[in-house]
Amino acid sequence: MTEKKIHTDSGIEIKPLYTAADRRSSVNENPGEFPFTRGVQPDMYRGKLWTMRQYAGFSTAEESNRRYHYLLSQGVMGLSVAFDLPTQIGYDSDHPLAEGEVGKVGVAINSIADTQTLFKGIKLEDVSTSMTINATAFILLAFYVAVAKQQGADLKKISGTVQNDILKEYAARGTYIYPPRPSMKIVTDIFEWCSNELPKWNTISISGYHIREAGSTAVQEIAFTLSNGKAYVKAALEMGMDINIFGKRLSFFFNAHNNLFEEIAKFRAARRMWAKIMKELGAKDPKAMSLRFHAQTGGSTLTAQQPMNNISRTTIQSLAAVLGGTQSLHTNGYDEALSLPSEDAVRIALRTQQIIAFESGAPDTVDPLAGSYFVEKLTDEVEAMAWQLMEKIDLMGGSISAIEQGYIQNEIAKSAYRYQQKIEEGGKIIVGVNKFHNEETGNIKGLKIDETIRKKQMEKLALLKSHRDHAKCDQLLQQLNDHASNGENIMPTVIEAVENYCTLGEIADTLREVFGEHK
């Protein structure tokens, strides 16, 4: 009888038994030292636990502000802001294309006034804020900085992250505005401005999360993400920036999926690979070579069938992220396959992290799975396969060229198709979906968004525009047009524009005139 072969979703064959012959030498490496396989800090969670974040943002700034105060009262250590689709693609709530989407998948932010409301009663100097925003990242960062200045905050102490990863939008997610090359210029403008003015801010969160959500494998997730990372570093180097300075402010955002050991291996391999990449690109400071990352449990793994099963899934995924050495973690709500997460689901998601932190013993020692014959071998295999993919992308001229040629998008689409095919054929079991069915009982009440939100946002916009200095706004938008056309850093002008009540849509449209739109 032929023994059944078992493979991970990346196609790595899993042997029935691993022995000392399979183990490589990373057990002799120290955490906090190059190549950081075992973690970016010598003492990891013994010194400081990961930041427990909960991603939230829906409806109006008022509603989201209430949720943030609730999360902070429950023990959340940092905020993670979700923005609605019009905000993500540079349209104010009164734009015709915003109809039906205002406040739906995140909070609607049109102006500095909305941002003031969003963070009302929250001292920005005391909280770390992560913003999942890309094409309009420069505008949302400007709103945040302007509000911090109004609060009297010391900008040198403001900490947080703006996702600002436009390349993965072309490859996987789709919320881009401008063509790739001018978009890259905006990304590096943020790098340059923050390195001088906002030194504790993470200027980019290079995101594998959405690549995985689009259907990639674990290996593709790190290969495509690290390739994008290389492209950003090279763009910054071409501007004459110091890799040892801006390299310390780069962070990553990965998915935590269901295959516990492959995910742990993925995180360990990614750190090792990035350290080697940065060293080859000229980094000398170890902190500029260390890959720090935020993890979020897999949204695409959540099922609408038997949704309470999702609590078990996100527990396994959160544990993988912790055992893999994450710096920050968001756990999805069990009801997110049905709607935006309810308050109950958010609380259980946060409690999941707290139970891992304070009851499981997982954080008590650094990299507890180092030396495992299986985990060490799997780390090596994930790394080897990821290098092969990255070499193909390098031969194409790097990530931007590979995206322009459609290579990365096609590889993700093929993986997504194969995965779905396995589920439909029964080769991949999803509990409660293609096996272990039962009659659904109980009705989970999802969070629904009030359809009148767009009307409220439009009223707020009209009021804002009636009270501002129109001549000053026109002058600043023309200045922004000139600076963008001349290749100057646009951040100082954008900040002045938002302080004078120019809206997100007006700023985005000004740059549409300069750069055009990506089709």
Side-chain angles (χ1 to χ4, degrees):
M1 181 178 169
T2 309
E3 187 178 86
K4 181 188 172 188
K5 289 191 173 181
I6 294 174
H7 295 84
T8 71
D9 292 329
S10 298
I12 297 169
E13 186 178 343
I14 304 300
K15 300 196 300 184
L17 177 69
Y18 289 80
T19 68
D22 294 298
R23 191 172 68 180
R24 58 156 262 135
S25 60
S26 77
V27 286
N28 298 321
E29 294 169 0
N30 290 319
E33 295 177 10
F34 183 89
F36 305 102
T37 312
R38 302 197 60 198
V40 294
Q41 298 292 345
D43 55 357
M44 284 304 287
Y45 308 130
R46 290 284 286 255
K48 183 189 176 189
L49 284 173
W50 63 93
T51 301
M52 296 180 198
R53 295 188 185 278
Q54 283 305 121
Y55 185 52
F58 58 92
S59 180
T60 60
E62 291 86 351
E63 283 297 316
S64 293
N65 178 261
R66 276 194 278 276
R67 177 64 66 89
Y68 295 152
H69 280 284
Y70 170 75
L71 288 169
L72 289 166
S73 76
Q74 294 297 305
V76 155
M77 303 167 180
L79 299 175
S80 254
V81 187
F83 299 96
D84 74 356
L85 197 55
T87 303
Q88 291 181 50
I89 53 176
Y91 295 121
D92 289 332
S93 298
D94 59 359
H95 193 284
L97 290 177
E99 189 172 353
E101 292 294 342
V102 176
K104 287 288 174 71
V105 298
V107 61
I109 298 292
N110 298 159
S111 69
I112 188 175
D114 287 332
T115 315
Q116 288 163 340
T117 304
L118 186 66
F119 294 107
K120 188 178 180 182
I122 298 168
K123 214 174 158 195
L124 298 188
E125 208 174 281
D126 296 342
V127 68
S128 164
T129 304
S130 175
M131 296 189 273
T132 302
I133 194 74
N134 297 287
T136 53
F138 64 105
I139 308 173
L140 271 301
L141 179 59
F143 286 149
Y144 194 84
V145 167
V147 170
K149 284 165 72 177
Q150 287 177 346
Q151 289 185 357
D154 179 353
L155 293 189
K156 304 286 189 235
K157 293 180 182 172
I158 294 290
S159 68
T161 304
V162 65
Q163 191 163 98
N164 195 30
D165 177 3
I166 200 63
L167 291 179
K168 69 97 176 48
E169 295 298 329
Y170 304 111
R173 194 161 171 269
T175 62
Y176 45 72
I177 303 174
Y178 316 112
R181 293 179 195 274
S183 293
M184 286 291 282
K185 173 65 171 67
I186 295 172
V187 169
T188 52
D189 280 0
I190 293 174
F191 285 6
E192 185 178 52
W193 186 83
C194 288
S195 68
N196 296 320
E197 306 294 335
L198 217 65
K200 288 181 75 177
W201 194 266
N202 296 318
T203 50
I204 191 166
S205 177
I206 304 157
S207 176
Y209 184 85
H210 302 101
I211 289 170
R212 191 67 175 277
E213 289 292 286
S216 83
T217 65
V219 165
Q220 288 173 330
E221 180 188 351
I222 60 168
F224 297 156
T225 306
L226 298 185
S227 285
N228 288 349
K230 267 177 81 171
Y232 293 121
V233 172
K234 286 182 174 179
L237 289 171
E238 283 166 14
M239 286 183 65
M241 294 176 68
D242 185 345
I243 193 170
N244 293 300
I245 294 173
F246 76 80
K248 294 177 192 175
R249 301 319 316 164
L250 305 176
S251 69
F252 287 79
F253 175 24
F254 289 121
N255 207 306
H257 242 250
N258 281 333
N259 189 317
L260 180 72
F261 294 108
E262 185 177 41
E263 293 301 288
I264 294 163
K266 176 188 81 179
F267 298 133
R268 298 172 89 247
R271 271 194 298 272
R272 193 155 74 205
M273 292 173 73
W274 186 245
K276 291 172 184 173
I277 289 165
M278 289 296 274
K279 192 172 186 178
E280 283 171 13
L281 290 170
K284 299 272 192 294
D285 189 326
K287 286 190 176 173
M289 301 179 213
S290 64
L291 181 151
R292 297 167 301 114
F293 73 97
H294 169 69
Q296 180 175 337
T297 58
S300 61
T301 69
L302 301 175
T303 64
Q305 302 91 330
Q306 301 176 26
M308 299 304 282
N309 292 347
N310 294 327
I311 297 173
S312 302
R313 290 187 179 100
T314 58
T315 303
I316 291 166
Q317 294 162 7
S318 299
L319 188 61
V322 170
L323 293 173
T326 191
Q327 278 59 69
S328 169
L329 179 60
H330 163 86
T331 310
N332 290 330
Y334 64 80
D335 55 1
E336 285 187 61
L338 301 165
S339 70
L340 287 166
S342 62
E343 215 163 81
D344 279 350
V346 164
R347 185 172 57 254
I348 290 169
L350 177 60
R351 295 290 181 257
T352 300
Q353 292 199 48
Q354 289 166 336
I355 289 166
I356 291 171
F358 300 108
E359 297 185 30
S360 74
D364 292 351
T365 189
V366 180
D367 193 21
L369 291 178
S372 154
Y373 303 146
F374 178 36
V375 170
E376 292 294 353
K377 180 64 173 174
L378 200 50
T379 301
D380 293 346
E381 290 179 311
V382 167
E383 181 183 9
M385 288 178 70
W387 281 129
Q388 285 175 0
L389 270 178
M390 289 187 74
E391 282 161 16
K392 279 187 188 175
I393 291 166
D394 285 343
L395 287 171
M396 291 179 193
S399 267
I400 298 175
S401 296
I403 287 165
E404 288 172 341
Q405 293 173 49
Y407 170 74
I408 291 176
Q409 301 93 307
N410 289 339
E411 289 300 301
I412 294 168
K414 284 191 280 188
S415 290
Y417 176 76
R418 284 193 296 266
Y419 185 80
Q420 189 58 37
Q421 200 173 32
K422 282 183 199 168
I423 293 171
E424 290 176 12
E425 291 170 355
K428 178 87 183 169
I429 292 169
I430 307 294
V431 173
V433 175
N434 62 355
K435 201 165 184 182
F436 310 115
H437 305 278
N438 61 271
E439 290 299 316
E440 296 286 334
T441 56
N443 187 21
I444 290 177
K445 192 178 177 184
L447 185 67
K448 300 299 178 195
I449 299 302
D450 184 350
E451 291 294 338
T452 64
I453 285 168
R454 183 168 184 249
K455 183 171 176 285
K456 290 174 189 168
Q457 281 296 111
M458 288 169 72
E459 287 167 358
K460 284 196 281 184
L461 266 170
L463 185 65
L464 176 105
K465 289 177 180 178
S466 70
H467 285 83
R468 68 186 185 178
D469 182 337
H470 289 280
K472 182 69 174 173
C473 286
D474 291 344
Q475 178 199 334
L476 286 164
L477 292 172
Q478 183 56 53
Q479 196 174 308
L480 176 62
N481 183 304
D482 295 344
H483 288 176
S485 301
N486 297 334
E488 294 176 56
N489 191 312
I490 62 171
M491 281 304 296
T493 313
V494 174
I495 290 167
E496 193 179 352
V498 304
E499 287 175 332
N500 283 276
Y501 301 98
C502 292
T503 70
L504 173 129
E506 290 168 337
I507 292 167
D509 281 346
T510 298
L511 296 186
R512 281 184 176 97
E513 292 169 18
V514 179
F515 301 136
E517 291 189 84
H518 181 67
K519 302 295 182 188

